[in-house]
Amino acid sequence: MKNITIIVILYAFTAFAQMTVENSGGTVLMKILENGNVGIGTQTNPTEKLEVAGKTKTDQLQIGTSATNGHVLRTDASGNGSWGQVGTAGIADQAVNSAKISNNTIVNADVSTTAAIAGTKINPNFGSQSVTTTGKTTTGTFQMTGGSPGTGKILTSDASGNASWQTAAPIVEQDGVVGNEITNAGNNSLTRTGSGTAASPFQIQINQTTTDGWYVNEGQPNSITTGMITDLTIVNGDVNASAAIAGTKISPNFGSQNVTTTGKTTTGTFQMTGGSPAAGRILRSDASGNASWSTLADVGGITGVTAGQGLTGGGTSGTVTVDVGAGTGISVAANTVSALTNNPIWNANNIQSEYVTDETPEDGQILKYDYTQAMWVLENNNNRKILTNELLDQNILPPSIPVNVNSSTTFTVTYSGLSTKALFATVSWTCQMNTGTGISKIWVLRKNVDGSNDTLRRQNLIGQCTAQSGAQAGEIQLAKVPLHGTGTSKSIYFYAQLCSGCTAYMWPYIVAVESEL
């Protein structure tokens, strides 16, 4: 631990006191003077009420009692702080100079539209410097005060393009014949031809290779040569609409070069002399888009239509028609094929995917399905009759309707009031979800009359009725199935496949029965 010495100096006779706090090394840590000034870390006497040599840290700060809410602490040039409004200092007039403006900050919007900055303040000085541009200069009026201006003078350039005002030298007629004044110029730049008559008018021809300072008027035909035309000056408007410039004069030579475009080519007529042209051929491309003339046979086209069995017509060219052949017992009209009286129209060996007997039918026999043989057989129509729904007083219903289906299982629905000889029933049913979310299905389960499983059938479940949560009753199904049981109460088998946690309703109606006589 370091020792701290506290020195208190008392002057009893002058009523003056001073306190100094030092560490063991003699360094002054704090001074309190008789006038009340306090110094912390100062080696000399403090000149203010509190003078700190070092950093101060405080949880709260209050300066004076005249502060206003929202004021900020500002300082003067000597570091004296006071409370004041934000922005009240402002920027004094003429206080912003070049050094205070960041480089590259002045933009066009900062310059007043009426600034009228003198050209002498632009670098280069517009007042004395040349203005050079590679672009075009445009002006409403033009004035050049240098170059000896004068009334009627013309602006003339030298070889470097420097302009000056020059007096135009008029052509003076001397002998009454226009053109006599021009003979052969000293540098052979001009030549006059013709005698000045109507038959041989005077013509002036320029012979030199450069035309600086000369103007070309109408001269002899073919007098303008390629050397007189500045490169890259001929434009589309200079070419006559009926010029018909030969393709051989275009580079590349259109007569032998390929013409390639990424745009669309449009033509009034088309001819391709290559690629084996011939009458009736079609244009066909290869994998690269190269076209050639080909026959229909080359591209796998239809070369002919042959009428098959029961059909007539056909052909190998033009419009081909195929008709249904009207044979013995068949009549063909527009959109209709019918069998004539006492003539067979078809010979079926199966119905609904079940085999049909190949026995020869006898008079009065009917075709019925035999579950034991799993096929359609012939039977004498003398031991059964069919009661259709129209013959019944009303649809036959189960004792309780609708039927509640509560699990996925095989179940039966029993009907009362049937004939003891009833063997088959045509049943109509629909279903609807009762509870749960999902899809449930209910079928008629076809069994043999004795209740045993129908192992000979290809499909024992018939007429799927679908019930879905939130939906109305499913589509009505219809099927003919055996009736099971004795007496006047008989049953029909059904099979349900319900979604998890679901129950359903079912409405099964018998609309027709088939009974023994």
Side-chain angles (χ1 to χ4, degrees), residues 118-131:
T120 55
K121 294 183 179 181
I122 305 298
N123 186 17
N125 183 344
F126 283 2
S128 60
Q129 298 293 326
S130 299
V131 178

Side-chain angles (χ1 to χ4, degrees), residues 95-103 105:
V96 177
N97 53 33
S98 176
K100 294 182 180 179
I101 300 176
S102 299
N103 292 341
T105 57

